[in-house]
Amino acid sequence: MIVTTSGKPTEAQIAKAAALAGELGGRFVRRGNETLAGIRRKQADDKLLVAGPEGIRFYDGDEPALYFHPSMAFVRVKRLRGGERDPMIEISGCEPGDSVIDCTAGLASDAIVFSYAVGGRGAVTALESEAVLH
């Protein structure tokens, strides 16, 4: 896996990319004026992690970029705030003050909803086995 930065990186983004390369066993490649496609071609690797001002984005071949976004968690928490029910919270029996372990964190959508449900007195620990997602 290649790890690089956005087009005009800050020193913090360069440091983040280098640290991620070390943590994930990837190759840190300075971006320079190279396109992402050019870096992938020259490095002969389709897996690319990019640290930029919008956060971290992961590219794998021709698939769309993978990056954190609240997804449906935003809508689900909004509904909970409005007094509506959430099936996951209801089935789990989760209440304010509980401690929750999410063993399949993925992009953390369920952990975000659990975090709202347990409130400030509760705790959520999210675990993810896939290093790039973690």
Side-chain angles (χ1 to χ4, degrees):
M1 178 174 58
I2 306 158
V3 184
T4 192
T5 63
S6 58
K8 294 181 180 177
T10 64
E11 288 301 317
Q13 290 162 358
I14 293 169
K16 179 70 171 177
L20 284 168
E23 180 182 334
L24 299 171
R27 294 182 312 264
F28 173 66
V29 175
R30 289 193 176 271
R31 176 80 179 262
N33 291 323
E34 190 65 72
T35 64
L36 296 179
I39 290 174
R40 289 160 103 176
R41 189 174 48 256
K42 286 179 182 177
Q43 297 293 319
D45 195 337
D46 278 342
K47 295 186 185 305
L48 180 66
L49 197 66
V50 179
E54 307 86 28
I56 300 167
R57 294 181 182 265
F58 177 68
Y59 299 87
D60 189 357
D62 293 330
E63 295 295 317
L66 179 65
Y67 57 94
F68 172 76
H69 53 85
S71 187
M72 284 301 293
F74 179 80
V75 174
R76 291 168 64 197
V77 169
K78 187 175 178 180
R79 288 178 181 159
L80 285 169
R81 290 181 66 164
E84 294 182 47
R85 300 178 1 230
D86 182 85
M88 180 185 71
I89 299 303
E90 205 168 83
I91 290 169
S92 69
C94 182
E95 296 180 359
D98 283 353
S99 293
V100 175
I101 298 177
D102 178 353
C103 294
T104 57
L107 293 177
S109 290
D110 289 341
I112 291 168
V113 176
F114 273 125
S115 180
Y116 178 79
V118 301
R121 295 181 297 121
V124 175
T125 301
L127 307 174
E128 176 54 52
S129 64
E130 184 64 39
V132 171
L133 288 178
H134 172 263

